[in-house]
Amino acid sequence: CDKRGCLAKFCALQLSCFFLFRSPAPGADNPYGDRQKGGSKSAPQTMRNVTIRQILRECEVSSDYDVVDGIPLATFFIVGRIVSRVEAAANIKFKIDDGTGIIEVLHYVEDSNPLISEVAQEWQLNCYVRVCGHLRTLDHKKSMTAFRISLIKDYNEVTYHNLQCIFQHLHLTKGAAPPASAPTSGNASVGYGQKTSSYAQQNFAGGEPKKKALVDVLSVYNQPGLSDDGLSLEAVQSILASRGLNYTAAEITKAVSSLEDEGMLYSTIDNHHRSTAMC
């Protein structure tokens, strides 16, 4: 079949999963956060996929934070095409178009990190990128501050993101779909954080040095008692060294970058990261 026909079948198959598989009930095991409006500044640090239209038109402003689909909008992902790029000394300003709207994205570049500066050169006009960040409002104009930008090389990632936006919106506004059958797996009731750790072990465990580095680095971020700011790369290197694991700064940087791409870590402040399993 042609590309359009295959894509249409793929979309139909993925959307049907919403009605066939059980979603996590809103609450403690819900990775998108509790459904609520208003609240204090100690709102849950939610992560979710959204469209630009949801940010610009459907985002409500409560007393302390922004709300989409009844939950606080903290860290979120968008996927779109770069239609404008303006580079300054310490930052790059983009305009991203995902087909539902256009938003301005500001990304600060660290000149001291050559790996990040090199990757930033890949983000050129008409490229598709996946952006992780948070919303900011200045003079009633909404824009986005990016923690992480990843170049998309497979268009299936765009389709997958759009399906995730639909799935999460339906889950939050209409509730979890009824189960098709009783769960048969012994770990069917495992929480989101435990699922994330299990996923990492299943997909990264092995004898290859790169995969071992991912497991070792993730284990540091998953340890209990960390602050909301997470850990810096230097702190991670020091902790691993105390365990007898002597990784270079470059190896840890690459491991953290890979874990960010997998959704296992997210950036907080000043080159610090935190595990999504600890949210």
Side-chain angles (χ1 to χ4, degrees):
C1 60
D2 58 23
K3 292 183 178 179
R4 292 185 178 179
C6 290
L7 182 59
K9 291 180 179 179
F10 176 77
C11 292
L13 178 62
Q14 292 294 321
L15 284 173
S16 66
C17 291
F18 176 78
F19 301 101
L20 294 178
F21 299 101
R22 186 177 184 178
S23 318
D29 292 339
N30 181 3
Y32 320 124
D34 298 329
R35 181 176 174 83
Q36 58 181 321
K37 290 180 182 281
S40 66
K41 292 184 179 179
S42 60
Q45 297 188 15
T46 57
M47 297 185 70
R48 61 173 297 193
N49 297 285
V50 295
T51 65
I52 294 175
R53 178 188 175 91
Q54 286 178 293
I55 299 171
L56 298 181
R57 299 188 183 183
E58 300 175 17
C59 183
E60 305 169 9
V61 180
S62 73
S63 58
D64 295 314
Y65 47 79
D66 301 297
V67 175
V68 172
D69 292 332
I71 69 165
L73 185 67
T75 304
F76 60 90
F77 297 91
I78 64 170
V79 168
R81 182 171 59 90
I82 299 175
V83 295
S84 174
R85 185 182 194 274
V86 178
E87 191 166 347
N91 61 69
I92 306 176
K93 187 179 293 185
F94 300 95
K95 286 187 177 179
I96 306 295
D97 182 356
D98 71 347
T100 69
I102 298 176
I103 193 170
E104 186 176 278
V105 176
L106 183 65
H107 179 73
Y108 291 94
V109 179
E110 299 179 30
D111 293 333
S112 59
N113 192 328
L115 292 176
I116 296 179
S117 299
E118 182 179 345
V119 170
Q121 297 306 314
E122 298 180 347
W123 310 328
Q124 299 297 327
L125 290 177
N126 296 317
C127 291
Y128 278 85
V129 290
R130 185 170 188 256
V131 185
C132 174
H134 66 72
L135 184 67
R136 66 173 189 169
T137 303
L138 182 63
D139 295 331
H140 305 289
K141 179 182 178 182
K142 294 178 182 177
S143 61
M144 182 178 180
T145 298
F147 304 142
R148 171 78 179 172
I149 300 179
S150 303
L151 181 68
I152 289 180
K153 299 179 181 180
D154 185 347
Y155 193 80
N156 284 327
E157 290 188 45
V158 180
T159 304
Y160 179 76
H161 171 82
N162 291 334
L163 292 171
Q164 281 288 305
C165 292
I166 296 171
F167 176 86
Q168 292 172 11
H169 170 73
L170 289 174
H171 172 79
L172 293 168
T173 57
K174 299 183 182 298
S181 59
T184 57
S185 174
N187 60 355
S189 61
V190 177
Y192 175 67
Q194 293 170 293
K195 288 179 181 177
T196 304
S197 299
S198 174
Y199 173 87
Q201 294 295 332
Q202 293 173 7
N203 287 274
F204 299 150
E208 299 179 25
K210 179 181 178 181
K211 292 183 178 181
K212 184 178 185 303
L214 293 174
V215 174
D216 290 339
V217 170
L218 185 60
S219 69
V220 175
Y221 285 105
N222 279 342
Q223 63 185 341
L226 298 181
S227 68
D228 289 344
D229 293 338
L231 293 170
S232 66
L233 299 179
E234 293 77 10
V236 173
Q237 185 178 20
S238 176
I239 293 172
L240 289 174
S242 69
R243 299 177 181 177
L245 302 171
N246 298 314
Y247 289 103
T248 65
E251 288 173 330
I252 292 176
T253 299
K254 289 181 180 179
V256 168
S257 177
S258 297
L259 291 169
E260 278 191 293
D261 290 340
E262 291 290 339
M264 303 281 179
L265 300 178
Y266 67 95
S267 176
T268 56
I269 60 168
D270 298 331
N271 211 24
H272 284 57
H273 296 79
R274 191 166 185 255
S275 171
T276 56
M278 307 304 290
C279 292

mmCIF file of all heavy atoms in Angstrom, residues 3-34:
data_model
loop_
_atom_site.group_PDB
_atom_site.id
_atom_site.type_symbol
_atom_site.label_atom_id
_atom_site.label_comp_id
_atom_site.label_asym_id
_atom_site.label_seq_id
_atom_site.Cartn_x
_atom_site.Cartn_y
_atom_site.Cartn_z
ATOM 1 N N LYS A 3 2.096 5.168 1.192
ATOM 2 C CA LYS A 3 2.445 5.677 2.512
ATOM 3 C C LYS A 3 1.226 6.221 3.248
ATOM 4 O O LYS A 3 1.060 6.015 4.441
ATOM 5 C CB LYS A 3 3.512 6.760 2.394
ATOM 6 C CG LYS A 3 4.857 6.213 1.938
ATOM 7 C CD LYS A 3 5.898 7.318 1.910
ATOM 8 C CE LYS A 3 7.270 6.770 1.498
ATOM 9 N NZ LYS A 3 8.280 7.837 1.455
ATOM 10 N N ARG A 4 0.353 6.950 2.519
ATOM 11 C CA ARG A 4 -0.824 7.519 3.182
ATOM 12 C C ARG A 4 -1.750 6.428 3.687
ATOM 13 O O ARG A 4 -2.315 6.515 4.776
ATOM 14 C CB ARG A 4 -1.557 8.452 2.235
ATOM 15 C CG ARG A 4 -0.767 9.724 1.913
ATOM 16 C CD ARG A 4 -1.589 10.671 1.072
ATOM 17 N NE ARG A 4 -0.871 11.909 0.806
ATOM 18 C CZ ARG A 4 -1.362 12.909 0.073
ATOM 19 N NH1 ARG A 4 -2.578 12.797 -0.467
ATOM 20 N NH2 ARG A 4 -0.644 14.001 -0.126
ATOM 21 N N GLY A 5 -1.914 5.379 2.870
ATOM 22 C CA GLY A 5 -2.785 4.284 3.270
ATOM 23 C C GLY A 5 -2.265 3.563 4.499
ATOM 24 O O GLY A 5 -3.005 3.230 5.413
ATOM 25 N N CYS A 6 -0.948 3.347 4.539
ATOM 26 C CA CYS A 6 -0.336 2.686 5.693
ATOM 27 C C CYS A 6 -0.460 3.541 6.946
ATOM 28 O O CYS A 6 -0.715 3.042 8.033
ATOM 29 C CB CYS A 6 1.137 2.392 5.394
ATOM 30 S SG CYS A 6 1.382 1.109 4.152
ATOM 31 N N LEU A 7 -0.257 4.846 6.787
ATOM 32 C CA LEU A 7 -0.346 5.750 7.929
ATOM 33 C C LEU A 7 -1.760 5.781 8.493
ATOM 34 O O LEU A 7 -1.970 5.786 9.698
ATOM 35 C CB LEU A 7 0.091 7.156 7.519
ATOM 36 C CG LEU A 7 0.107 8.206 8.632
ATOM 37 C CD1 LEU A 7 1.050 7.770 9.758
ATOM 38 C CD2 LEU A 7 0.548 9.558 8.085
ATOM 39 N N ALA A 8 -2.760 5.769 7.598
ATOM 40 C CA ALA A 8 -4.156 5.791 8.047
ATOM 41 C C ALA A 8 -4.494 4.519 8.829
ATOM 42 O O ALA A 8 -5.149 4.559 9.864
ATOM 43 C CB ALA A 8 -5.096 5.935 6.839
ATOM 44 N N LYS A 9 -4.005 3.367 8.330
ATOM 45 C CA LYS A 9 -4.253 2.112 9.042
ATOM 46 C C LYS A 9 -3.565 2.106 10.391
ATOM 47 O O LYS A 9 -4.085 1.614 11.384
ATOM 48 C CB LYS A 9 -3.763 0.933 8.192
ATOM 49 C CG LYS A 9 -4.592 0.702 6.936
ATOM 50 C CD LYS A 9 -4.060 -0.490 6.143
ATOM 51 C CE LYS A 9 -4.902 -0.735 4.884
ATOM 52 N NZ LYS A 9 -4.373 -1.870 4.098
ATOM 53 N N PHE A 10 -2.345 2.659 10.428
ATOM 54 C CA PHE A 10 -1.591 2.727 11.693
ATOM 55 C C PHE A 10 -2.335 3.574 12.721
ATOM 56 O O PHE A 10 -2.457 3.204 13.880
ATOM 57 C CB PHE A 10 -0.198 3.301 11.418
ATOM 58 C CG PHE A 10 0.626 3.513 12.653
ATOM 59 C CD1 PHE A 10 1.246 2.453 13.283
ATOM 60 C CD2 PHE A 10 0.774 4.787 13.182
ATOM 61 C CE1 PHE A 10 2.005 2.652 14.406
ATOM 62 C CE2 PHE A 10 1.526 4.999 14.317
ATOM 63 C CZ PHE A 10 2.145 3.913 14.924
ATOM 64 N N CYS A 11 -2.843 4.727 12.292
ATOM 65 C CA CYS A 11 -3.585 5.613 13.206
ATOM 66 C C CYS A 11 -4.836 4.928 13.736
ATOM 67 O O CYS A 11 -5.143 5.006 14.917
ATOM 68 C CB CYS A 11 -3.962 6.916 12.489
ATOM 69 S SG CYS A 11 -2.546 7.963 12.099
ATOM 70 N N ALA A 12 -5.576 4.245 12.828
ATOM 71 C CA ALA A 12 -6.809 3.576 13.246
ATOM 72 C C ALA A 12 -6.515 2.480 14.264
ATOM 73 O O ALA A 12 -7.231 2.298 15.241
ATOM 74 C CB ALA A 12 -7.514 2.986 12.021
ATOM 75 N N LEU A 13 -5.413 1.735 14.029
ATOM 76 C CA LEU A 13 -5.045 0.669 14.949
ATOM 77 C C LEU A 13 -4.685 1.216 16.313
ATOM 78 O O LEU A 13 -5.100 0.695 17.352
ATOM 79 C CB LEU A 13 -3.868 -0.116 14.368
ATOM 80 C CG LEU A 13 -3.304 -1.258 15.246
ATOM 81 C CD1 LEU A 13 -4.364 -2.304 15.481
ATOM 82 C CD2 LEU A 13 -2.081 -1.866 14.576
ATOM 83 N N GLN A 14 -3.898 2.312 16.344
ATOM 84 C CA GLN A 14 -3.471 2.872 17.623
ATOM 85 C C GLN A 14 -4.643 3.465 18.401
ATOM 86 O O GLN A 14 -4.722 3.337 19.621
ATOM 87 C CB GLN A 14 -2.401 3.955 17.390
ATOM 88 C CG GLN A 14 -1.079 3.415 16.863
ATOM 89 C CD GLN A 14 -0.404 2.529 17.884
ATOM 90 O OE1 GLN A 14 -0.438 2.812 19.066
ATOM 91 N NE2 GLN A 14 0.200 1.444 17.426
ATOM 92 N N LEU A 15 -5.555 4.147 17.700
ATOM 93 C CA LEU A 15 -6.703 4.743 18.390
ATOM 94 C C LEU A 15 -7.602 3.675 18.990
ATOM 95 O O LEU A 15 -8.213 3.879 20.043
ATOM 96 C CB LEU A 15 -7.503 5.610 17.415
ATOM 97 C CG LEU A 15 -6.886 6.972 17.086
ATOM 98 C CD1 LEU A 15 -7.686 7.655 15.996
ATOM 99 C CD2 LEU A 15 -6.844 7.847 18.321
ATOM 100 N N SER A 16 -7.682 2.521 18.319
ATOM 101 C CA SER A 16 -8.528 1.460 18.855
ATOM 102 C C SER A 16 -8.008 0.923 20.172
ATOM 103 O O SER A 16 -8.743 0.361 20.970
ATOM 104 C CB SER A 16 -8.625 0.311 17.842
ATOM 105 O OG SER A 16 -7.358 -0.313 17.671
ATOM 106 N N CYS A 17 -6.696 1.111 20.414
ATOM 107 C CA CYS A 17 -6.120 0.636 21.674
ATOM 108 C C CYS A 17 -6.728 1.336 22.882
ATOM 109 O O CYS A 17 -6.747 0.792 23.978
ATOM 110 C CB CYS A 17 -4.599 0.858 21.667
ATOM 111 S SG CYS A 17 -3.742 -0.220 20.494
ATOM 112 N N PHE A 18 -7.216 2.547 22.690
ATOM 113 C CA PHE A 18 -7.822 3.271 23.813
ATOM 114 C C PHE A 18 -9.022 2.526 24.368
ATOM 115 O O PHE A 18 -9.296 2.534 25.557
ATOM 116 C CB PHE A 18 -8.240 4.671 23.360
ATOM 117 C CG PHE A 18 -8.954 5.432 24.449
ATOM 118 C CD1 PHE A 18 -8.237 6.017 25.479
ATOM 119 C CD2 PHE A 18 -10.339 5.556 24.436
ATOM 120 C CE1 PHE A 18 -8.880 6.719 26.480
ATOM 121 C CE2 PHE A 18 -10.990 6.248 25.437
ATOM 122 C CZ PHE A 18 -10.256 6.835 26.455
ATOM 123 N N PHE A 19 -9.751 1.839 23.481
ATOM 124 C CA PHE A 19 -10.963 1.149 23.909
ATOM 125 C C PHE A 19 -10.696 -0.313 24.267
ATOM 126 O O PHE A 19 -11.524 -0.962 24.883
ATOM 127 C CB PHE A 19 -12.012 1.222 22.799
ATOM 128 C CG PHE A 19 -12.369 2.627 22.430
ATOM 129 C CD1 PHE A 19 -11.830 3.218 21.297
ATOM 130 C CD2 PHE A 19 -13.207 3.388 23.229
ATOM 131 C CE1 PHE A 19 -12.137 4.533 20.962
ATOM 132 C CE2 PHE A 19 -13.519 4.697 22.897
ATOM 133 C CZ PHE A 19 -12.982 5.264 21.765
ATOM 134 N N LEU A 20 -9.519 -0.839 23.889
ATOM 135 C CA LEU A 20 -9.233 -2.238 24.143
ATOM 136 C C LEU A 20 -8.429 -2.476 25.403
ATOM 137 O O LEU A 20 -8.535 -3.525 26.026
ATOM 138 C CB LEU A 20 -8.474 -2.835 22.940
ATOM 139 C CG LEU A 20 -9.260 -2.925 21.635
ATOM 140 C CD1 LEU A 20 -8.361 -3.475 20.540
ATOM 141 C CD2 LEU A 20 -10.495 -3.794 21.782
ATOM 142 N N PHE A 21 -7.584 -1.505 25.763
ATOM 143 C CA PHE A 21 -6.697 -1.702 26.902
ATOM 144 C C PHE A 21 -7.055 -0.753 28.033
ATOM 145 O O PHE A 21 -7.407 0.388 27.799
ATOM 146 C CB PHE A 21 -5.236 -1.511 26.484
ATOM 147 C CG PHE A 21 -4.791 -2.491 25.437
ATOM 148 C CD1 PHE A 21 -4.711 -2.108 24.103
ATOM 149 C CD2 PHE A 21 -4.493 -3.793 25.777
ATOM 150 C CE1 PHE A 21 -4.317 -3.010 23.145
ATOM 151 C CE2 PHE A 21 -4.091 -4.700 24.814
ATOM 152 C CZ PHE A 21 -4.012 -4.314 23.494
ATOM 153 N N ARG A 22 -6.867 -1.232 29.228
ATOM 154 C CA ARG A 22 -7.228 -0.449 30.405
ATOM 155 C C ARG A 22 -6.187 0.646 30.653
ATOM 156 O O ARG A 22 -5.005 0.393 30.648
ATOM 157 C CB ARG A 22 -7.306 -1.364 31.623
ATOM 158 C CG ARG A 22 -7.809 -0.648 32.854
ATOM 159 C CD ARG A 22 -7.942 -1.610 34.006
ATOM 160 N NE ARG A 22 -8.515 -0.969 35.169
ATOM 161 C CZ ARG A 22 -8.773 -1.599 36.296
ATOM 162 N NH1 ARG A 22 -8.511 -2.883 36.407
ATOM 163 N NH2 ARG A 22 -9.291 -0.962 37.321
ATOM 164 N N SER A 23 -6.655 1.853 30.887
ATOM 165 C CA SER A 23 -5.771 2.951 31.251
ATOM 166 C C SER A 23 -5.631 2.981 32.759
ATOM 167 O O SER A 23 -6.501 2.521 33.474
ATOM 168 C CB SER A 23 -6.366 4.298 30.810
ATOM 169 O OG SER A 23 -6.924 4.214 29.551
ATOM 170 N N PRO A 24 -4.537 3.552 33.259
ATOM 171 C CA PRO A 24 -4.433 3.699 34.714
ATOM 172 C C PRO A 24 -5.483 4.663 35.227
ATOM 173 O O PRO A 24 -5.760 5.680 34.601
ATOM 174 C CB PRO A 24 -3.020 4.264 34.906
ATOM 175 C CG PRO A 24 -2.688 4.913 33.612
ATOM 176 C CD PRO A 24 -3.388 4.102 32.565
ATOM 177 N N ALA A 25 -6.096 4.334 36.348
ATOM 178 C CA ALA A 25 -7.128 5.207 36.908
ATOM 179 C C ALA A 25 -6.505 6.506 37.382
ATOM 180 O O ALA A 25 -5.377 6.526 37.862
ATOM 181 C CB ALA A 25 -7.818 4.502 38.079
ATOM 182 N N PRO A 26 -7.217 7.644 37.248
ATOM 183 C CA PRO A 26 -6.658 8.901 37.740
ATOM 184 C C PRO A 26 -6.332 8.803 39.221
ATOM 185 O O PRO A 26 -7.107 8.294 40.005
ATOM 186 C CB PRO A 26 -7.797 9.901 37.483
ATOM 187 C CG PRO A 26 -8.605 9.286 36.392
ATOM 188 C CD PRO A 26 -8.525 7.808 36.623
ATOM 189 N N GLY A 27 -5.149 9.274 39.601
ATOM 190 C CA GLY A 27 -4.759 9.208 40.995
ATOM 191 C C GLY A 27 -3.287 8.919 41.123
ATOM 192 O O GLY A 27 -2.476 9.329 40.326
ATOM 193 N N ALA A 28 -2.933 8.124 42.136
ATOM 194 C CA ALA A 28 -1.519 7.902 42.448
ATOM 195 C C ALA A 28 -0.781 7.204 41.324
ATOM 196 O O ALA A 28 0.402 7.452 41.117
ATOM 197 C CB ALA A 28 -1.415 7.070 43.729
ATOM 198 N N ASP A 29 -1.453 6.287 40.585
ATOM 199 C CA ASP A 29 -0.782 5.563 39.523
ATOM 200 C C ASP A 29 -0.953 6.228 38.166
ATOM 201 O O ASP A 29 -0.645 5.649 37.141
ATOM 202 C CB ASP A 29 -1.329 4.125 39.431
ATOM 203 C CG ASP A 29 -0.927 3.315 40.652
ATOM 204 O OD1 ASP A 29 0.047 3.719 41.303
ATOM 205 O OD2 ASP A 29 -1.587 2.313 40.931
ATOM 206 N N ASN A 30 -1.459 7.433 38.137
ATOM 207 C CA ASN A 30 -1.702 8.139 36.883
ATOM 208 C C ASN A 30 -0.512 9.025 36.555
ATOM 209 O O ASN A 30 -0.245 9.992 37.250
ATOM 210 C CB ASN A 30 -2.972 8.990 37.021
ATOM 211 C CG ASN A 30 -3.295 9.731 35.728
ATOM 212 O OD1 ASN A 30 -2.602 9.574 34.722
ATOM 213 N ND2 ASN A 30 -4.333 10.530 35.762
ATOM 214 N N PRO A 31 0.265 8.718 35.472
ATOM 215 C CA PRO A 31 1.449 9.510 35.157
ATOM 216 C C PRO A 31 1.147 10.920 34.724
ATOM 217 O O PRO A 31 2.033 11.758 34.668
ATOM 218 C CB PRO A 31 2.098 8.713 34.006
ATOM 219 C CG PRO A 31 0.970 7.963 33.392
ATOM 220 C CD PRO A 31 0.050 7.622 34.520
ATOM 221 N N TYR A 32 -0.116 11.212 34.390
ATOM 222 C CA TYR A 32 -0.463 12.557 33.946
ATOM 223 C C TYR A 32 -0.850 13.459 35.110
ATOM 224 O O TYR A 32 -1.065 14.645 34.932
ATOM 225 C CB TYR A 32 -1.623 12.522 32.939
ATOM 226 C CG TYR A 32 -1.539 11.379 31.963
ATOM 227 C CD1 TYR A 32 -2.578 10.475 31.823
ATOM 228 C CD2 TYR A 32 -0.394 11.196 31.201
ATOM 229 C CE1 TYR A 32 -2.489 9.426 30.934
ATOM 230 C CE2 TYR A 32 -0.296 10.136 30.309
ATOM 231 C CZ TYR A 32 -1.349 9.258 30.179
ATOM 232 O OH TYR A 32 -1.248 8.217 29.302
ATOM 233 N N GLY A 33 -0.996 12.898 36.324
ATOM 234 C CA GLY A 33 -1.341 13.701 37.499
ATOM 235 C C GLY A 33 -2.802 13.578 37.866
ATOM 236 O O GLY A 33 -3.609 13.038 37.122
ATOM 237 N N ASP A 34 -3.162 14.055 39.042
ATOM 238 C CA ASP A 34 -4.550 14.033 39.502
ATOM 239 C C ASP A 34 -5.373 15.071 38.776
ATOM 240 O O ASP A 34 -4.908 16.170 38.503
ATOM 241 C CB ASP A 34 -4.628 14.323 41.003
ATOM 242 C CG ASP A 34 -3.901 13.256 41.803
ATOM 243 O OD1 ASP A 34 -3.881 12.100 41.330
ATOM 244 O OD2 ASP A 34 -3.369 13.589 42.874
#
